[in-house]
Amino acid sequence: MKKFIVSDATECIGCHACEIACVVAHNQENWPQNRGDFFPRLHVVNKGKSASVVVCHQCTHAPCVASCPVDALTYQHGQVQLDERRCIGCKNCAIACPFGVIDMVAHGAQKCDLCAQRVAGGPACVQACPTQAIRLMDDHGIEQLQKTRRHQVVSGALAQTKVSSCRRAFLKTPARKGAEKTSAEERKTHFNEIYQGLSSEQAYFESDRCLYCAEKANCNWSCPLHNAIPDYIRLAKEGRILEAVELCHQTSSLPEICGRVCPQDKLCEGACTLKGHSGAVSIGNIERYITDTALASGWRPDLSKVTPRPQRVAVIGAGPAGLGCADVLAREGVHVDVFDRHPEIGGMLTFGIPSFKLEKQVLVTRRDIFTTMGIDFHLNVEVGCDIPFNQLMDQYDAIFIGVGTYGLIQAKLPHEDAPGVIQALPFLIAQTRLQMGLPRSDEYPLTDLTNKRVVVLGGGDTTMDCLRTSARLNAASVICAYRRDEASMPGSHKEVVNAREEGVEFLFNVQPQYIACDDEGRLSAVGLIRTEMGEAGPDGRRRSHPISGSEFELPADVLILAFGFQAHDMPWLRGSDIELDKRGLIKTGGEGRFLTQTRIDKVFAGGDAVHGAHLVVTAMVAGRQAARDMLALFEQKEQQK
């Protein structure tokens, strides 16, 4: 009997649960390891607030079958079947399909196979759809549908039938409220966190809004850690905080930190089904609430049943990558020593992110937790200076390098070294050290901004941090100059909103040309030229182009360069077999090697030092993956004995 999938557009809520279920079903019920491997065999097409699913119709006289020159596509047993082994990738079928549901992927053509090989049985997309907008139909089902509609036509009931009743009920949720934040006038006077934690009542309100689209939903696919977001939100709603915090820690080493600093609007909340309706669920606030509440009640990870292993691992760098690696290893009984040149753990989390976004006591508490788990921290210890890398090679069974990227990107403008021109990272670190009560450092000098005109060049989150820090240091004015338009800014939108509220002015579509100095050689202005947006580049972002004759000067007393970070010099790696790419990043993986393994079998690396400056959460993902790779290596060696 012919079977095929049908979609009811009036009931589709655009949650993408069907796409995710499809991909997971064809990946042994696991998440794909790489985002580039996400190839669903059906597609959700959004149009405004409406959505519909397009999928193979299993056509009886299928044009794709007729177009295939090697009979890789055949019509058998009531459906169009694809033999991927015979496919030559000629694309004829993709061109012939009138519904656009045959995709070309790396191995050739791909189409819906009704999950024929799925152990659980039945199409995964049908089982995952929360509104039953997707159904498996057969000839008998068509006959029943025809009879029903004929009776409706005769009785006049068809015109009176209410459509999308399930969809309407599903999406009927109160508007998002989120966390309350301190008023702009007040928060400009201090460096305390501006967002207040949710109360139990607020947490219930926000968690009750969650639709629980699916166990594996678009929110947790969009999270690089694939946190079990729908499940821990449901537990929070039910007041089962200890279960929720345990679930959070199954995939994340720093949930209370990610809840505060992750760009949720570009990740999990950006993928929330309610985003275009009543507003995305406040996932970050709920994650913070769960962890803060559990920690305040005395909860700590229980490793009492963990069996100690004989291996010892050295982790270089106590940032999110290193901490993620150490966390996973400690939970598996491996002894871990973490070395970091800073006086506190966290790396950029602690010293690059201002306290008004992440209170530093949060990191102190997390260090205490890790220490209780058996992780030993060696702070103010710089590998290559205070301890040789070769010594670590001799003393440990494996090493993880997660040192981040601290190299400063230059503007390459004349007079860049003039007094008054400073880099973002030293500026932020100096202020953080001051807030933490640490001694002043010649490496990170403090800058007095009182009554000064401050201009910050850049458009990312570090730019926002510099702008908002400057607003708290009594600057006369604070201006952000960015070469693209606001929609193209790589930073979090909520940070732009916060900066505006705190008095920051934004100049979009302006590109720096030169740095002007006064007679004493000190910064006096930055020369800018206006730009217009052009076509998108290979990365999907539109390029900016200078407008001839639009040059002007913007007066400035302090110019902060916030163009991001690049790999810094690691002289202690010289002479080793560890390879670097042309950007100075550590090369890992390759044929016959684990994903995070370098050319030296016992040395692994991950985070910004490997993939370049990115997010806290992606660095943590890499560190946790490195731990799993190490454990697999240990298992291999034990089996070889």
Side-chain angles (χ1 to χ4, degrees):
M1 180 181 290
K2 179 175 180 177
K3 293 184 178 181
F4 56 99
I5 293 172
V6 295
S7 170
D8 184 350
T10 65
E11 297 288 12
C12 180
I13 60 173
C15 66
H16 298 270
C18 55
E19 290 181 336
I20 294 165
C22 174
V23 172
V24 170
H26 289 86
N27 194 48
Q28 293 78 51
E29 302 300 327
N30 296 314
W31 295 109
Q33 189 165 30
N34 302 306
R35 296 198 67 80
D37 296 330
F38 188 82
F39 295 114
R41 298 167 187 240
L42 74 171
H43 300 279
V44 177
V45 179
N46 293 292
K47 186 177 182 181
K49 292 188 176 183
S50 300
S52 186
V53 175
V54 290
V55 63
C56 177
H57 289 221
Q58 310 295 345
C59 307
T60 303
H61 303 289
C64 60
V65 173
S67 71
C68 182
V70 293
D71 293 331
L73 283 162
T74 55
Y75 189 80
Q76 301 179 49
H77 309 297
Q79 65 175 289
V80 176
Q81 297 185 3
L82 169 65
D83 186 346
E84 295 180 357
R85 296 168 299 177
R86 304 190 65 173
C87 178
I88 60 175
C90 67
K91 306 179 181 61
N92 281 5
C93 56
I95 296 171
C97 177
F99 306 105
V101 293
I102 296 181
D103 297 308
M104 302 304 299
V105 295
H107 59 263
Q110 176 178 278
K111 65 172 290 296
C112 173
D113 59 359
L114 297 178
C115 294
Q117 305 302 319
R118 186 168 177 246
V119 176
C125 59
V126 174
Q127 296 175 11
C129 181
T131 61
Q132 298 183 324
I134 303 175
R135 291 176 292 161
L136 185 64
M137 185 72 77
D138 57 20
D139 292 337
H140 177 69
I142 292 178
E143 291 175 4
Q144 292 300 312
L145 182 63
Q146 288 174 329
K147 289 180 180 178
T148 299
R149 287 182 174 172
R150 287 167 187 161
H151 285 296
Q152 288 177 337
V153 169
V154 172
S155 64
L158 184 63
Q160 302 171 14
T161 302
K162 294 183 178 180
V163 297
S164 67
S165 57
C166 182
R167 179 180 186 273
R168 267 202 304 270
F170 214 74
L171 294 174
K172 190 177 181 180
T173 57
R176 169 189 171 121
K177 291 183 179 178
E180 297 177 359
K181 61 182 176 181
T182 309
S183 68
E185 286 306 312
E186 180 184 345
R187 66 185 190 242
K188 284 172 60 177
T189 64
H190 56 69
F191 279 78
N192 298 335
E193 283 189 359
I194 74 165
Y195 287 102
Q196 301 170 26
L198 299 179
S199 65
S200 58
E201 293 79 11
Q202 290 171 321
Y204 178 85
F205 173 84
E206 290 296 337
S207 58
D208 188 47
R209 298 180 63 247
C210 177
L211 303 179
Y212 199 92
C213 304
E215 181 181 356
K216 283 185 167 64
N218 206 21
C219 54
N220 42 340
W221 165 243
S222 299
C223 170
L225 286 165
H226 303 316
N227 289 334
I229 294 170
D231 287 321
Y232 74 58
I233 288 180
R234 177 175 285 182
L235 289 171
K237 173 186 173 181
E238 296 171 355
R240 298 155 65 184
I241 298 302
L242 297 185
E243 293 175 68
V245 77
E246 290 284 355
L247 186 58
C248 287
H249 280 82
Q250 286 183 14
T251 51
S252 177
S253 303
L254 307 165
E256 76 281 19
I257 293 170
C258 288
R260 286 168 162 86
V261 303
C262 257
Q264 290 97 358
D265 55 335
K266 293 181 178 293
L267 298 173
C268 55
E269 293 181 13
C272 179
T273 303
L274 289 175
K275 179 183 177 182
H277 300 277
S278 57
V281 175
S282 299
I283 297 170
N285 295 326
I286 296 171
E287 183 180 29
R288 172 185 171 179
Y289 167 79
I290 290 170
T291 317
D292 285 357
T293 303
L295 292 176
S297 72
W299 174 89
R300 294 295 184 271
D302 181 9
L303 273 62
S304 60
K305 296 181 181 179
V306 174
T307 302
R309 300 177 60 120
Q311 293 88 4
R312 299 173 71 246
V313 171
V315 171
I316 304 174
L323 296 177
C325 181
D327 177 37
V328 173
L329 291 173
R331 291 172 183 269
E332 294 295 328
V334 177
H335 177 77
V336 183
D337 286 302
V338 181
F339 300 86
D340 196 280
R341 65 190 184 95
H342 290 297
E344 185 53 88
I345 71 166
M348 285 284 194
L349 282 173
T350 302
F351 296 97
I353 297 179
S355 298
F356 52 77
K357 289 172 63 177
L358 177 60
E359 170 58 48
K360 303 313 168 188
Q361 183 58 41
V362 175
L363 275 302
V364 175
T365 300
R366 182 51 67 171
R367 172 166 52 82
D368 291 341
I369 293 171
F370 284 142
T371 300
T372 303
M373 291 169 59
I375 300 170
D376 289 334
F377 290 98
H378 306 270
L379 302 177
N380 289 312
V381 175
E382 185 169 1
V383 173
C385 293
D386 302 304
I387 184 171
F389 181 64
N390 288 338
Q391 183 176 331
L392 302 182
M393 289 286 291
D394 293 337
Q395 295 180 349
Y396 292 90
D397 298 286
I399 297 172
F400 175 71
I401 302 174
V403 294
T405 50
Y406 285 82
L408 307 178
I409 297 178
Q410 306 295 322
K412 298 181 180 179
L413 298 174
H415 309 304
E416 194 168 335
D417 58 350
V421 181
I422 60 176
Q423 280 278 355
L425 186 57
F427 168 71
L428 292 173
I429 292 179
Q431 291 300 323
T432 296
R433 290 178 64 91
L434 179 65
Q435 298 301 317
M436 294 176 66
L438 296 173
R440 293 195 178 192
S441 167
D442 293 337
E443 186 179 0
Y444 308 112
L446 285 168
T447 303
D448 182 12
L449 299 186
T450 305
N451 296 324
K452 292 182 179 178
R453 299 165 296 181
V454 178
V455 176
V456 183
L457 301 181
D461 285 333
T462 299
T463 301
M464 299 303 116
D465 293 342
C466 291
L467 293 165
R468 299 183 61 204
T469 296
S470 300
R472 286 161 170 76
L473 296 177
N474 302 313
S477 64
V478 183
I479 297 176
C480 174
Y482 181 55
R483 63 195 176 105
R484 292 187 171 103
D485 58 11
E486 183 170 359
S488 303
M489 296 188 83
S492 172
H493 174 68
K494 71 177 181 181
E495 287 302 299
V496 177
V497 172
N498 288 333
R500 277 203 174 101
E501 290 174 352
E502 292 165 10
V504 173
E505 180 184 350
F506 286 85
L507 287 180
F508 296 108
N509 292 108
V510 292
Q511 185 169 313
Q513 299 292 290
Y514 60 88
I515 295 171
C517 298
D518 59 21
D519 294 339
E520 297 179 355
R522 183 174 181 81
L523 167 74
S524 62
V526 56
L528 301 169
I529 186 171
R530 301 193 185 279
T531 65
E532 58 185 357
M533 301 304 295
E535 297 297 320
D539 59 356
R541 298 177 66 198
R542 296 175 65 193
R543 295 291 185 257
S544 61
H545 303 288
I547 300 174
S548 179
S550 65
E551 299 86 351
F552 67 100
E553 283 193 355
L554 180 64
D557 302 308
V558 176
L559 179 65
I560 303 177
L561 308 180
F563 297 126
F565 312 107
Q566 59 187 353
H568 57 277
D569 189 26
M570 292 174 279
W572 42 275
L573 285 181
R574 292 173 192 154
S576 72
D577 289 332
I578 295 176
E579 286 186 308
L580 306 179
D581 66 14
K582 61 182 180 181
R583 296 185 295 164
L585 300 171
I586 300 171
K587 296 175 72 173
T588 64
E591 187 174 355
R593 309 197 72 75
F594 292 107
L595 184 65
T596 61
Q597 193 175 30
T598 69
R599 282 194 60 186
I600 302 176
D601 287 351
K602 67 190 294 183
V603 180
F604 297 74
D608 291 3
V610 172
H611 54 56
H614 207 246
L615 303 175
V616 170
V617 66
T618 51
M620 197 195 317
V621 168
R624 292 174 65 89
Q625 178 63 48
R628 290 190 288 269
D629 290 347
M630 287 182 190
L631 293 168
L633 177 66
F634 297 156
E635 292 292 336
Q636 285 182 1
K637 289 185 176 181
E638 289 173 0
Q639 292 172 5
Q640 293 169 0
K641 290 181 180 180

